[in-house]
Amino acid sequence: MELLYQTMCGAGDGLTSNKKTLTGAEWFLIFTCLAIAVALLFQNLNSVAWVSSIGAITNVGYCTSIWVVSVTKGKPDAAPHAAPSTAASSETDRICSILTALGIIALAFKGHNLVLEIQGTMPSNPKHPSHEPMWRGVKLSYLLIFVCLFPLAIGGYWAFGDTIDASGGMLKAFAKFHAHNTSKLVMGLIYLLVLISCLCSFQIYAMPVFDNMEFIYIIKKKRRCPRWVRSGFRVFFGGFTFFIAVALPFLGSLGALFGGIALPLTYAYPCFMWTAIKKPCPNTAMWWSNLCLGWSGIGLAVLLVFAAVWNLVKYGIDANFFNPW
């Protein structure tokens, strides 16, 4: 949001504007208010289907725009490309860096945990089980992920190399090197697509929380949840996320650790759950497949947590409590 404001209302480069802007906490508050306002328009997870579609479209739009413009503009002279073998001081650091990257990827793909929530909202019967359209949706989702992330990663590293900052990522590098030779309209459109995508993502991830709050209310009160209570849940949760964002702005640097801790929820427990529910015959191919995949997920999670802790101990963490930036 700050980059969008500085690009459209400042000097145009999104980084070097001299106009006074808001603080990090104030930008967080504006985003939270926008997210809550959008959340008040929807009742449950089933009603945000078109929001998910808009989020997918904006994701494809800004990812494609960033890597296409970056590749078209060429490599900046100030963007070094160090060999992977020289980027780490030792073989242990290199392995831990790779595992840390995998942990961050695992955290990014934690949205898989919403698959069962989404499938639970779909009609299902023996003739038309819900897993068939759900499987088609999963394949389409992975196609969109491939279209978004692989060109962005390959084109981004080709264009910017080692200058991609861990906190700002590709978007910050793009603004740093190409804001001066890219039109305001293009830059503003990219930032706007990112903003819309974040607002849509908030709805998808927060709606199961809202549904669970309403479910608990219905169980305890034995009556339907009125609209003012539903709105209160959304405002409370939005305020809570705002408080966490302002109080603990360094949580992003713990992404690899959280990814390793949460990895079994996505890649291990479902295998054990399937085995416990379906009860396949022991020593069959399906039984061994789920057993090996489940324990492989547990082992990978242990490695990711170890690597994340290793990097935190070696490089430290800037625990800037209540000081977003």
Side-chain angles (χ1 to χ4, degrees):
M1 290 182 67
E2 183 177 11
L3 290 175
L4 176 62
Y5 169 79
Q6 290 181 345
T7 298
M8 304 309 296
C9 303
D13 57 4
L15 289 175
T16 60
S17 173
N18 293 324
K19 286 183 176 293
K20 184 179 180 180
T21 184
L22 302 178
T23 64
E26 291 169 338
W27 284 118
F28 285 163
L29 179 60
I30 293 175
F31 177 83
T32 303
C33 292
L34 289 175
I36 294 175
V38 176
L40 292 174
L41 302 176
F42 306 100
Q43 293 186 355
N44 50 49
L45 186 63
N46 201 32
S47 63
V48 297
W50 68 272
V51 176
S52 179
S53 301
I54 293 176
I57 294 171
T58 53
N59 267 287
V60 175
Y62 80 77
C63 288
T64 304
S65 300
I66 291 176
W67 76 260
V68 167
V69 174
S70 300
V71 171
T72 302
K73 299 291 183 181
K75 296 181 180 179
D77 296 333
H81 290 71
S85 59
T86 63
S89 58
S90 65
E91 192 66 22
T92 303
D93 287 343
R94 183 181 178 187
I95 294 175
C96 288
S97 296
I98 294 173
L99 292 174
T100 298
L102 291 176
I104 295 173
I105 293 173
L107 180 64
F109 280 82
K110 193 176 179 293
H112 289 176
N113 299 338
L114 287 176
V115 168
L116 296 179
E117 295 273 359
I118 296 172
Q119 186 172 345
T121 65
M122 302 171 62
S124 180
N125 54 64
K127 187 176 181 180
H128 301 287
S130 61
H131 71 82
E132 293 180 355
M134 193 68 200
W135 178 236
R136 291 195 296 268
V138 169
K139 290 188 287 186
L140 178 60
S141 298
Y142 270 97
L143 177 62
L144 293 176
I145 292 171
F146 177 86
V147 170
C148 289
L149 298 186
F150 276 87
L152 186 66
I154 297 171
Y157 183 75
W158 177 89
F160 304 119
D162 300 333
T163 59
I164 299 179
D165 185 66
S167 59
M170 184 79 173
L171 193 64
K172 190 173 181 179
F174 175 77
K176 178 179 179 181
F177 291 107
H178 292 310
H180 67 280
N181 58 4
T182 305
S183 69
K184 270 189 175 185
L185 181 61
V186 174
M187 297 287 293
L189 178 61
I190 291 175
Y191 298 145
L192 181 62
L193 291 176
V194 173
L195 175 60
I196 295 174
S197 174
C198 292
L199 288 173
C200 293
S201 298
F202 182 92
Q203 311 307 318
I204 300 300
Y205 286 107
M207 194 57 69
V209 179
F210 301 152
D211 287 348
N212 288 331
M213 288 180 175
E214 294 180 27
F215 178 75
I216 294 174
Y217 178 89
I218 293 173
I219 294 298
K220 289 184 175 295
K221 298 295 184 180
K222 306 297 183 182
R223 57 190 175 92
R224 293 176 61 87
C225 184
R227 185 177 181 85
W228 68 271
V229 175
R230 184 183 298 118
S231 301
F233 287 151
R234 283 150 174 75
V235 173
F236 168 78
F237 181 77
F240 178 74
T241 56
F242 169 73
F243 173 78
I244 295 297
V246 174
L248 308 173
F250 55 88
L251 283 180
S253 57
L254 300 177
L257 179 62
F258 292 150
I261 294 174
L263 186 137
L265 295 175
T266 303
Y267 298 103
Y269 296 161
C271 299
F272 299 138
M273 291 171 60
W274 188 91
T275 304
I277 295 173
K278 295 295 185 179
K279 294 181 173 58
C281 295
N283 298 321
T284 59
M286 188 61 68
W287 187 84
W288 277 111
S289 297
N290 282 277
L291 189 66
C292 292
L293 287 173
W295 282 110
S296 297
I298 296 292
L300 180 59
V302 172
L303 291 176
L304 296 185
V305 172
F306 170 79
V309 173
W310 173 281
N311 285 333
L312 289 175
V313 171
K314 181 170 183 178
Y315 300 107
I317 181 174
D318 183 16
N320 51 331
F321 293 96
F322 293 96
N323 185 24
W325 64 75

